[in-house]
PDB file of all heavy atoms in Angstrom:
ATOM      1  N   THR A  44      26.631  17.577 -10.113  1.00 32.00           N
ATOM      2  CA  THR A  44      25.700  16.544 -10.328  1.00 32.00           C
ATOM      3  C   THR A  44      24.516  16.904  -9.562  1.00 32.00           C
ATOM      4  O   THR A  44      24.464  17.383  -8.478  1.00 32.00           O
ATOM      5  CB  THR A  44      26.186  15.180  -9.870  1.00 32.00           C
ATOM      6  OG1 THR A  44      25.101  14.280 -10.003  1.00 32.00           O
ATOM      7  CG2 THR A  44      26.624  15.237  -8.433  1.00 32.00           C
ATOM      8  N   GLY A  45      23.336  16.607 -10.246  1.00 33.00           N
ATOM      9  CA  GLY A  45      21.996  16.885  -9.456  1.00 33.00           C
ATOM     10  C   GLY A  45      21.445  15.612  -9.097  1.00 33.00           C
ATOM     11  O   GLY A  45      20.328  15.577  -8.570  1.00 33.00           O
ATOM     12  N   ASN A  46      22.145  14.502  -9.226  1.00 33.00           N
ATOM     13  CA  ASN A  46      21.554  13.218  -8.834  1.00 33.00           C
ATOM     14  C   ASN A  46      21.496  13.108  -7.353  1.00 33.00           C
ATOM     15  O   ASN A  46      22.387  13.268  -6.712  1.00 33.00           O
ATOM     16  CB  ASN A  46      22.477  12.087  -9.383  1.00 33.00           C
ATOM     17  CG  ASN A  46      21.886  10.732  -9.163  1.00 33.00           C
ATOM     18  OD1 ASN A  46      21.445  10.495  -8.169  1.00 33.00           O
ATOM     19  ND2 ASN A  46      21.850   9.929 -10.281  1.00 33.00           N
ATOM     20  N   SER A  47      20.320  12.864  -6.805  1.00 33.00           N
ATOM     21  CA  SER A  47      20.233  12.764  -5.452  1.00 33.00           C
ATOM     22  C   SER A  47      19.866  11.437  -4.860  1.00 33.00           C
ATOM     23  O   SER A  47      19.547  11.184  -3.831  1.00 33.00           O
ATOM     24  CB  SER A  47      19.027  13.739  -5.017  1.00 33.00           C
ATOM     25  OG  SER A  47      17.810  13.171  -5.461  1.00 33.00           O
ATOM     26  N   THR A  48      19.924  10.398  -5.763  1.00 34.00           N
ATOM     27  CA  THR A  48      19.483   9.056  -5.337  1.00 34.00           C
ATOM     28  C   THR A  48      20.670   8.261  -4.864  1.00 34.00           C
ATOM     29  O   THR A  48      20.499   7.496  -3.916  1.00 34.00           O
ATOM     30  CB  THR A  48      18.788   8.202  -6.502  1.00 34.00           C
ATOM     31  OG1 THR A  48      19.882   7.962  -7.453  1.00 34.00           O
ATOM     32  CG2 THR A  48      17.655   9.038  -6.944  1.00 34.00           C
ATOM     33  N   GLY A  49      21.818   8.454  -5.481  1.00 35.00           N
ATOM     34  CA  GLY A  49      22.884   7.620  -5.055  1.00 35.00           C
ATOM     35  C   GLY A  49      22.637   6.121  -5.214  1.00 35.00           C
ATOM     36  O   GLY A  49      23.299   5.304  -4.488  1.00 35.00           O
ATOM     37  N   SER A  50      21.778   5.741  -6.191  1.00 34.00           N
ATOM     38  CA  SER A  50      21.453   4.460  -6.289  1.00 34.00           C
ATOM     39  C   SER A  50      21.909   3.738  -7.543  1.00 34.00           C
ATOM     40  O   SER A  50      21.765   2.482  -7.694  1.00 34.00           O
ATOM     41  CB  SER A  50      19.894   4.195  -6.166  1.00 34.00           C
ATOM     42  OG  SER A  50      19.241   4.930  -7.234  1.00 34.00           O
ATOM     43  N   THR A  51      22.446   4.466  -8.331  1.00 36.00           N
ATOM     44  CA  THR A  51      23.104   3.737  -9.573  1.00 36.00           C
ATOM     45  C   THR A  51      24.392   3.225  -9.118  1.00 36.00           C
ATOM     46  O   THR A  51      24.990   3.668  -8.237  1.00 36.00           O
ATOM     47  CB  THR A  51      23.319   4.858 -10.791  1.00 36.00           C
ATOM     48  OG1 THR A  51      24.030   5.909 -10.189  1.00 36.00           O
ATOM     49  CG2 THR A  51      21.924   5.283 -11.289  1.00 36.00           C
ATOM     50  N   THR A  52      24.851   2.279  -9.848  1.00 39.00           N
ATOM     51  CA  THR A  52      25.959   1.420  -9.280  1.00 39.00           C
ATOM     52  C   THR A  52      27.112   1.383 -10.311  1.00 39.00           C
ATOM     53  O   THR A  52      28.015   0.529 -10.099  1.00 39.00           O
ATOM     54  CB  THR A  52      25.537   0.091  -8.884  1.00 39.00           C
ATOM     55  OG1 THR A  52      24.980  -0.554  -9.973  1.00 39.00           O
ATOM     56  CG2 THR A  52      24.586   0.141  -7.717  1.00 39.00           C
ATOM     57  N   ASN A  53      27.164   2.243 -11.267  1.00 42.00           N
ATOM     58  CA  ASN A  53      28.196   1.959 -12.402  1.00 42.00           C
ATOM     59  C   ASN A  53      29.219   3.068 -12.387  1.00 42.00           C
ATOM     60  O   ASN A  53      29.995   3.235 -13.269  1.00 42.00           O
ATOM     61  CB  ASN A  53      27.500   1.917 -13.800  1.00 42.00           C
ATOM     62  CG  ASN A  53      26.820   3.204 -14.007  1.00 42.00           C
ATOM     63  OD1 ASN A  53      26.522   4.006 -13.100  1.00 42.00           O
ATOM     64  ND2 ASN A  53      26.270   3.332 -15.261  1.00 42.00           N
ATOM     65  N   GLY A  54      29.463   3.677 -11.122  1.00 50.00           N
ATOM     66  CA  GLY A  54      30.531   4.778 -11.130  1.00 50.00           C
ATOM     67  C   GLY A  54      31.892   4.148 -10.952  1.00 50.00           C
ATOM     68  O   GLY A  54      32.009   3.096 -10.259  1.00 50.00           O
ATOM     69  N   THR A  55      32.756   4.879 -11.415  1.00 59.00           N
ATOM     70  CA  THR A  55      34.182   4.420 -11.173  1.00 59.00           C
ATOM     71  C   THR A  55      34.959   5.710 -10.796  1.00 59.00           C
ATOM     72  O   THR A  55      34.872   6.741 -11.426  1.00 59.00           O
ATOM     73  CB  THR A  55      34.976   3.783 -12.427  1.00 59.00           C
ATOM     74  OG1 THR A  55      34.755   4.633 -13.429  1.00 59.00           O
ATOM     75  CG2 THR A  55      34.302   2.335 -12.724  1.00 59.00           C
ATOM     76  N   TYR A  56      35.853   5.643  -9.866  1.00 63.00           N
ATOM     77  CA  TYR A  56      36.508   6.704  -9.307  1.00 63.00           C
ATOM     78  C   TYR A  56      38.008   6.317  -9.095  1.00 63.00           C
ATOM     79  O   TYR A  56      38.296   5.169  -8.795  1.00 63.00           O
ATOM     80  CB  TYR A  56      35.987   7.333  -7.988  1.00 63.00           C
ATOM     81  CG  TYR A  56      34.585   7.709  -8.262  1.00 63.00           C
ATOM     82  CD1 TYR A  56      33.468   6.781  -8.012  1.00 63.00           C
ATOM     83  CD2 TYR A  56      34.330   8.945  -8.692  1.00 63.00           C
ATOM     84  CE1 TYR A  56      32.200   7.217  -8.281  1.00 63.00           C
ATOM     85  CE2 TYR A  56      32.994   9.251  -9.121  1.00 63.00           C
ATOM     86  CZ  TYR A  56      31.938   8.406  -8.853  1.00 63.00           C
ATOM     87  OH  TYR A  56      30.577   8.835  -9.197  1.00 63.00           O
ATOM     88  N   LYS A  57      38.913   7.417  -9.265  1.00 68.00           N
ATOM     89  CA  LYS A  57      40.334   7.103  -9.091  1.00 68.00           C
ATOM     90  C   LYS A  57      40.579   6.785  -7.585  1.00 68.00           C
ATOM     91  O   LYS A  57      40.111   7.352  -6.699  1.00 68.00           O
ATOM     92  CB  LYS A  57      41.189   8.333  -9.534  1.00 68.00           C
ATOM     93  CG  LYS A  57      41.061   8.546 -10.961  1.00 68.00           C
ATOM     94  CD  LYS A  57      42.053   9.682 -11.245  1.00 68.00           C
ATOM     95  CE  LYS A  57      41.962   9.878 -12.957  1.00 68.00           C
ATOM     96  NZ  LYS A  57      42.836  11.126 -13.239  1.00 68.00           N
ATOM     97  N   ASP A  58      41.504   5.809  -7.403  1.00 74.00           N
ATOM     98  CA  ASP A  58      41.914   5.540  -6.138  1.00 74.00           C
ATOM     99  C   ASP A  58      42.677   6.743  -5.526  1.00 74.00           C
ATOM    100  O   ASP A  58      43.350   7.579  -6.280  1.00 74.00           O
ATOM    101  CB  ASP A  58      42.936   4.399  -5.975  1.00 74.00           C
ATOM    102  CG  ASP A  58      42.128   3.072  -6.386  1.00 74.00           C
ATOM    103  OD1 ASP A  58      40.880   3.079  -6.468  1.00 74.00           O
ATOM    104  OD2 ASP A  58      42.830   2.083  -6.606  1.00 74.00           O
ATOM    105  N   GLY A  59      42.729   7.086  -4.300  1.00 73.00           N
ATOM    106  CA  GLY A  59      43.485   8.144  -3.745  1.00 73.00           C
ATOM    107  C   GLY A  59      42.780   8.639  -2.477  1.00 73.00           C
ATOM    108  O   GLY A  59      41.750   8.276  -1.933  1.00 73.00           O
ATOM    109  N   SER A  60      43.427   9.731  -1.950  1.00 72.00           N
ATOM    110  CA  SER A  60      42.861  10.419  -0.742  1.00 72.00           C
ATOM    111  C   SER A  60      42.151  11.735  -1.305  1.00 72.00           C
ATOM    112  O   SER A  60      42.692  12.312  -2.108  1.00 72.00           O
ATOM    113  CB  SER A  60      44.026  10.802   0.105  1.00 72.00           C
ATOM    114  OG  SER A  60      44.534   9.616   0.636  1.00 72.00           O
ATOM    115  N   TYR A  61      41.124  12.091  -0.738  1.00 70.00           N
ATOM    116  CA  TYR A  61      40.275  13.194  -1.057  1.00 70.00           C
ATOM    117  C   TYR A  61      39.992  13.959   0.332  1.00 70.00           C
ATOM    118  O   TYR A  61      39.830  13.416   1.353  1.00 70.00           O
ATOM    119  CB  TYR A  61      38.868  12.745  -1.556  1.00 70.00           C
ATOM    120  CG  TYR A  61      38.907  11.960  -2.978  1.00 70.00           C
ATOM    121  CD1 TYR A  61      39.444  10.651  -3.079  1.00 70.00           C
ATOM    122  CD2 TYR A  61      38.771  12.738  -4.190  1.00 70.00           C
ATOM    123  CE1 TYR A  61      39.494  10.056  -4.286  1.00 70.00           C
ATOM    124  CE2 TYR A  61      38.837  12.165  -5.332  1.00 70.00           C
ATOM    125  CZ  TYR A  61      39.264  10.798  -5.478  1.00 70.00           C
ATOM    126  OH  TYR A  61      39.323  10.256  -6.646  1.00 70.00           O
ATOM    127  N   ASN A  62      39.974  15.214   0.023  1.00 68.00           N
ATOM    128  CA  ASN A  62      39.720  16.084   1.205  1.00 68.00           C
ATOM    129  C   ASN A  62      38.578  17.111   0.704  1.00 68.00           C
ATOM    130  O   ASN A  62      38.617  17.675  -0.322  1.00 68.00           O
ATOM    131  CB  ASN A  62      40.946  16.809   1.721  1.00 68.00           C
ATOM    132  CG  ASN A  62      40.810  17.478   2.973  1.00 68.00           C
ATOM    133  OD1 ASN A  62      40.098  17.026   3.780  1.00 68.00           O
ATOM    134  ND2 ASN A  62      41.605  18.537   3.253  1.00 68.00           N
ATOM    135  N   ALA A  63      37.726  17.412   1.755  1.00 68.00           N
ATOM    136  CA  ALA A  63      36.667  18.363   1.257  1.00 68.00           C
ATOM    137  C   ALA A  63      36.252  19.101   2.529  1.00 68.00           C
ATOM    138  O   ALA A  63      36.117  18.702   3.633  1.00 68.00           O
ATOM    139  CB  ALA A  63      35.432  17.478   0.727  1.00 68.00           C
ATOM    140  N   ASP A  64      35.922  20.437   2.248  1.00 65.00           N
ATOM    141  CA  ASP A  64      35.100  21.157   3.186  1.00 65.00           C
ATOM    142  C   ASP A  64      33.539  21.208   2.842  1.00 65.00           C
ATOM    143  O   ASP A  64      33.249  21.322   1.626  1.00 65.00           O
ATOM    144  CB  ASP A  64      35.452  22.574   3.373  1.00 65.00           C
ATOM    145  CG  ASP A  64      36.765  22.671   4.168  1.00 65.00           C
ATOM    146  OD1 ASP A  64      37.003  21.757   5.009  1.00 65.00           O
ATOM    147  OD2 ASP A  64      37.591  23.538   3.914  1.00 65.00           O
TER     148      ASP A  64
END
Side-chain angles (χ1 to χ4, degrees):
Chain A
T44 174
N46 187 313
S47 67
T48 66
S50 61
T51 53
T52 54
N53 55 349
T55 52
Y56 299 92
K57 286 183 182 174
D58 291 354
S60 297
Y61 293 78
N62 191 31
D64 282 331

